[in-house]
Structure formats: structure tokens, C-alpha cells
Amino acid sequence: MQRKLTTGALAAAMFTPILASGQATSELDAMKAELAAMRAELAQVKGGSTPQATADLQAATNAALEDARSRINYQTEELSAGHDGKFFLASPDGAFRLNFGFQSQVRYIANFRDEETAGEDDTLTGFQLRRTKFKFSGNIGDPKISYGVTISGNRNSNNAVFEAIKLGYKFDNGIKIEGGRFKAPFSFDELTSSSRQQTVERSFVNEQFTVGFTEGVMATFNPVDEAKVRVMINDGQGAGEGGNGDFNETPVDFGITARVDYVIGEDTKGGFAKDYTSWSGDDRNINIGGAFHYQADDDAEGTFTDDLTQFTADVLYNEAGISAFGAVYFADTGDDDLFGLQLQGGYTIDDKIEPFVRYEYVDFDDTENSLLTVGVNYFFKKHKAKFTVDGIFSFDELTSVSDGFGLEENAAGDDEQFALRAQFQLLF
């Protein structure tokens, strides 16, 4: 009798690792055959074995089977993947998700200046890879726990840098807290993605007033469905541009940026405006926004001579292919008062062709700049694949301008220049 019990125990011991290996479901049939043999053996030992020995053997067999089933169920869970507006990988329950994104802009620029003081014309032409970005976002462990990372190629050195890093948590009451490096919620033009611009490049006036990338913590909430409020405590204007500045390297003691958006329309389910373009099937939608930014100077660093306070207000109207936008800006630097104006509009024809125009004006207290941009978009697949060509004309002398506009600084006493810009964008 002892020999029979030992044989049964050996059978269970041999059977357990097979079950625990979590192989394909077809192995269950073999396992069932083994169980049948074990049950037959149990029947033989019932007459002479003690009740306790029989119960122990049965319990061991059941435990082995349950362990094998749990392992098989775990291994046969499928990873979800596809495209629902974004390419993604996700767990079946949605607790873990990874979104993939990519953006590339290839641009041609021809700049024409009449340098009267030098007695010659100055013409510059060439191509550039304006933007190349890889974007990753999603949630970890719970849809409430979010992350976002943007890796951008430096357009001069080709080195990859972390342009933006954002970690967030959304509470049950709808309030979302995010921290990291990202754009402060100030001007609409800056917050509109470079992939969704109507013109080849953002406005010159935005360049003068934007807070840009900075580092800090932001709270977002909706007091009502039609309103969105964002408040960010940060390291000040441009503190997140070009790298990881440590806490003791920023010239700003304290910075705060806040923006409120309110949407009015026949159908507000589409949410708040994310670009300027209106498609032919769009219902009427009016996005009204306002923001302020304040930062206190750190006297120890001495970079700023005074504190900075600035405001902006904007309105975007979209309906059935028609778009109209207006924004005003004001800044007090302590030394100067700055004023800016941006007017922009376009009309989309059959969701394929979109002519547009933009006028800008900046008053630097002692100098003024006016610029006019006219162009057209051709959409192969809306913003995902589009070709844009425009011309930007500067009426006044430019003493400082970023390289993204295709404009150059004028020689002292000269003014008026024109830049022709053509760009193809691919986005997913």
C-alpha cells in the first residue's frame, strides 16, 4: 500500500511542473488524461489508505491544476495595439498605454533685403529641417497617471534633446496636476502646436511676448464644461529652453502663469480650439481666452533689471471653413511698456486648399514693427500631411529676430525685407 501512495505522489510531482509551465491550451487535454489516471489510482487506494492520505493526495492534485490554469490564463492575455487617432500599445484593461508620435518639417526659405546703406542687395536662399520630433505619451498603471515626453532633434547640431517632459495625475474631481518642463499657459499662438499652425511659422509678435518652455507645476480644471483654467508656478520666461537648468541657476525668484479659455458654440463637444483652421463640416465655435504672467527678479543673479508683468487676450472664430483670430498683448518690463497686435484669418475650400492672411504689429515703446504674411495650405491628409507656402513682409527695421521666421536683422538705417517660405510637413 505504501508503494501505491508513493507512485501517486510521484505522479503528482511530475504533473505539477507541466501544469505550472503555462503552455498552450492543448496541453490541458493531456493534463486531464493524467488526472483521470490519478483518480483511478485514488479509487484503488481508497479501500486500504487512510482518509487523510487520500484527502492529501486529492488536495495536491487540485492545487497543481489550479496553478496551471492561472498561469495559462495570464500568458494568453493579448496586448492591444492599433490606431485610434494615435498609434498605441496598451494592456487589455487600459491601465498601461504608450502612444507614439512623429513630426517632421522640411522648409525652403528665400530672403530678400535691400541694404541701401551698403549700396547692395542681399539675397539668401536655402533649405532647413525646421523640426524633427518623436513624441511618447500615455498612462502607467491607471488612466489617471499620465506622462508625456518629446524628443527633438537640434536643427543645427542634430543632437537629440528632451524638449518637453510632463508627468501628471488626474483626481476624481477632475483636477489634473502636472509637473516637469513644458510650455507655460500664456499665448494661444504658442500653445497651438507647431504641427497645427496655419502659417509656416508662428507670429513675430508671439515671439516677443511668449513665456515659452519653462519648468514647474501646473493645475488644470474645468469649473464648468465650457471653461478651462490652467495655473502654473514656474521658473520664469524661457527657463526650460535648451536644457536642464538647476533650481539655483534661474534668474527668477518666482513665476506664475494663468490662462482661462471659454468656448461658445452650437456644438461644444469638440472642446477647446487646438488650431486656427476650420474644416467645412465644423459647427460654429468661438474660443475666448485670456492670460497673465508675472515673474519676480532674483537680484542675486542680476539677469533682469526689474520684474516682468504681461497680459494677453484672444478670440478665435471657426465655422464651416471660415476662421478669424485676433489677439492683443501687453507687457511691463519695468523699463519699457510693450504692446502687440495679431490679426489672422483663413478659408478652407473642400478641406483641401486654405488661403490665409496675417497682420502683426509690435510697439517696443521706442520702436515699431509691422509685418504682413500671405499664403496658402494644401492638405493631403489635413495636418498629417500638408504643404504650406507663404510670404512674410516686414515694413520696418528689424534689430532682433529668431531664425525660424526666415527674416534677418537689418543693417542700421535699413528697413523692409521679404521672405518666401515653403514647407512640407508629415505628422502621425
Side-chain angles (χ1 to χ4, degrees):
M1 182 58 62
Q2 180 64 33
R3 182 188 63 79
K4 292 183 178 181
L5 286 174
T6 302
T7 301
L10 286 173
M14 295 174 62
F15 182 59
T16 300
I18 295 176
L19 287 174
S21 64
Q23 300 297 320
T25 306
S26 60
E27 293 185 4
L28 285 175
D29 295 332
M31 297 175 188
K32 291 177 180 178
E34 293 285 345
L35 281 175
M38 296 170 72
R39 285 169 179 163
E41 187 173 356
L42 281 172
Q44 295 177 7
V45 301
K46 278 182 179 180
S49 175
T50 64
Q52 182 61 45
T54 302
D56 290 344
L57 183 58
Q58 183 67 61
T61 302
N62 291 341
L65 180 60
E66 184 63 28
D67 179 69
R69 284 175 176 167
S70 68
R71 293 174 183 271
I72 290 173
N73 288 339
Y74 177 79
Q75 290 194 0
T76 55
E77 287 185 352
E78 295 183 358
L79 185 67
S80 176
H83 185 273
D84 58 359
K86 299 178 180 178
F87 288 101
F88 71 91
L89 294 174
S91 60
D93 61 358
F96 294 86
R97 180 177 172 114
L98 172 61
N99 302 313
F100 302 91
F102 173 77
Q103 176 191 2
S104 181
Q105 294 177 340
V106 180
R107 186 179 299 178
Y108 171 80
I109 297 176
N111 177 279
F112 306 93
R113 289 174 293 160
D114 185 7
E115 300 292 74
E116 296 179 358
T117 57
E120 60 183 26
D121 293 333
D122 193 351
T123 301
L124 299 172
T125 63
F127 292 88
Q128 68 173 190
L129 291 175
R130 176 58 182 168
R131 293 180 177 91
T132 303
K133 299 182 180 183
F134 294 90
K135 301 180 180 181
F136 307 91
S137 62
N139 50 268
I140 299 177
D142 189 315
K144 297 178 181 179
I145 306 172
S146 62
Y147 66 91
V149 177
T150 300
I151 300 175
S152 178
N154 184 287
R155 58 184 61 96
N156 295 316
S157 66
N158 284 333
N159 292 331
V161 297
F162 288 101
E163 180 180 85
I165 301 174
K166 183 185 290 186
L167 307 179
Y169 185 85
K170 189 171 185 178
F171 295 91
D172 293 335
N173 59 8
I175 297 177
K176 186 173 185 178
I177 304 296
E178 297 171 293
R181 181 196 306 149
F182 46 90
K183 290 181 178 179
F186 187 67
S187 69
F188 180 86
D189 200 34
E190 185 69 38
L191 294 173
T192 300
S193 169
S194 59
S195 65
R196 293 173 172 267
Q197 291 290 320
Q198 196 169 44
T199 57
V200 168
E201 192 59 61
R202 292 186 177 91
S203 64
F204 176 80
V205 64
N206 173 77
E207 185 74 8
Q208 312 309 313
F209 292 90
T210 183
V211 181
F213 283 98
T214 187
E215 294 170 348
V217 177
M218 180 173 72
T220 302
F221 60 95
N222 300 84
V224 294
D225 291 341
E226 297 84 5
K228 177 168 63 175
V229 179
R230 286 170 282 184
V231 180
M232 183 182 186
I233 306 299
N234 54 62
D235 283 343
Q237 189 179 53
E241 303 280 356
N244 291 310
D246 206 349
F247 76 97
N248 60 347
E249 295 177 357
T250 174
V252 174
D253 277 333
F254 171 80
I256 181 171
T257 312
R259 180 176 173 90
V260 179
D261 287 278
Y262 189 85
V263 62
I264 303 171
E266 298 174 2
D267 181 8
T268 59
K269 293 181 180 179
F272 303 92
K274 296 181 179 179
D275 62 5
Y276 296 97
T277 300
S278 175
W279 308 107
S280 58
D282 287 351
D283 292 323
R284 180 181 301 167
N285 187 285
I286 304 173
N287 197 109
I288 303 171
F292 84 92
H293 172 75
Y294 170 77
Q295 63 189 44
D297 173 39
D298 184 346
D299 295 330
E301 294 291 339
T303 301
F304 298 112
T305 57
D306 293 285
D307 300 342
L308 172 66
T309 305
Q310 53 187 29
F311 302 88
T312 184
D314 49 71
V315 178
L316 173 64
Y317 174 91
N318 279 337
E319 182 178 13
I322 300 173
S323 67
F325 176 80
V328 293
Y329 304 83
F330 173 80
D332 179 5
T333 66
D335 295 326
D336 299 299
D337 292 330
L338 282 66
F339 173 78
L341 172 68
Q342 178 181 345
L343 300 174
Q344 183 170 330
Y347 179 67
T348 306
I349 305 170
D350 297 328
D351 290 347
K352 282 295 184 181
I353 300 175
E354 181 190 33
F356 56 82
V357 60
R358 179 177 67 197
Y359 172 76
E360 310 170 59
Y361 171 79
V362 183
D363 184 346
F364 293 97
D365 210 16
D366 54 351
T367 60
E368 299 178 0
N369 284 111
S370 296
L371 302 97
L372 179 67
T373 304
V374 179
V376 62
N377 284 305
Y378 183 84
F379 300 103
F380 298 92
K381 191 67 174 177
K382 292 190 174 180
H383 291 298
K384 297 184 183 301
K386 70 177 181 180
F387 178 75
T388 307
V389 59
D390 67 19
I392 180 170
F393 188 84
S394 172
F395 297 91
D396 306 290
E397 177 184 338
L398 292 176
T399 58
S400 177
V401 62
S402 300
D403 59 2
F405 299 98
L407 300 172
E408 297 290 321
E409 295 181 8
N410 290 109
D414 289 328
D415 55 16
E416 297 186 358
Q417 64 174 293
F418 173 77
L420 176 66
R421 311 179 297 190
Q423 175 178 279
F424 178 72
Q425 172 177 278
L426 189 63
L427 175 73
F428 69 79

